[in-house]
Amino acid sequence: MNLINGLPAHVLLVHVVVVLVPLTALALVASALWPPAARRLGVLLPLLALVSLVSVPLTTHAGEWLEAHVESNALVRRHTELGDGLLPWALGLFVLAAVVWWAGRRAGAASAGAVEGDGAGIATRWAASPVRVVVAVLSLAVAAGAVVDVYRIGDSGAKAAWHDSFSKTASHSGDGD
């Protein structure tokens, strides 16, 4: 998939990445820090992370096609280099989203089963466990890294696309003045 309705697919797919990766990062952090958010989002959290993860290589592949069809320069090469680094962040978001979702399900099921046994104890242990703290810290770190990387990639892409493509002064004063 290199062209969509005659336009390079990369310039369209990049919008999916720019929206979904930060949205996934926000949902992950909220769910990791606030368990009711994880329960409320449910399976939507790992599904959102999966769609984000899949969108990255699709966008990168379309970008490689576009790179071969534009004039190469240092800005395009820099954008390509940065773009190749997003996949590990997206993978980290997905793995952590799956862990947060799974742990939230287990804790929720344990709380619901408290009448039958030690379910409340399991839920309490997860909520206070060092593992949960580690998952929360990793979620914050990976989410921040992913969002910063998306910003850096987008900034470099905008510079590559728009450098020398417009005048800094208006070409006309405007008809409505």
Side-chain angles (χ1 to χ4, degrees):
M1 178 166 55
N2 299 319
L3 293 172
I4 297 174
N5 202 25
L7 293 172
H10 181 73
V11 299
L12 300 172
L13 292 173
V14 73
H15 292 87
V16 174
V17 172
V18 167
V19 171
L20 289 186
V21 170
L23 183 63
T24 301
L26 178 63
L28 173 62
V29 168
S31 296
L33 295 178
W34 191 44
R39 285 191 297 278
R40 188 155 223 188
L41 284 172
V43 74
L44 182 61
L45 177 63
L47 288 176
L48 180 64
L50 180 61
V51 173
S52 296
L53 175 60
V54 169
S55 71
V56 170
L58 289 175
T59 303
T60 303
H61 175 74
E64 289 168 355
W65 179 88
L66 182 58
E67 180 186 19
H69 291 83
V70 298
E71 185 179 323
S72 182
N73 61 46
L75 294 173
V76 170
R77 287 188 298 277
R78 175 73 175 146
H79 176 63
T80 302
E81 280 177 25
L82 289 172
D84 288 338
L86 185 58
L87 188 58
W89 292 113
L91 180 60
L93 287 173
F94 173 70
V95 168
L96 287 165
V99 167
V100 168
W101 169 74
W102 179 81
R105 271 192 68 205
R106 299 270 304 162
S111 292
V115 177
E116 299 170 14
D118 188 36
I122 293 169
T124 303
R125 283 193 300 270
W126 163 251
S129 76
V131 174
R132 182 170 177 272
V133 172
V134 168
V135 168
V137 169
L138 283 173
S139 295
L140 279 167
V142 170
V147 170
V148 167
D149 211 31
V150 166
Y151 171 80
R152 291 177 65 220
I153 295 164
D155 182 60
S156 70
K159 286 177 181 173
W162 289 98
H163 80 285
D164 297 333
S165 295
F166 66 96
S167 172
K168 293 183 181 177
T169 59
S171 60
H172 58 73
S173 62
D175 298 330
D177 291 316

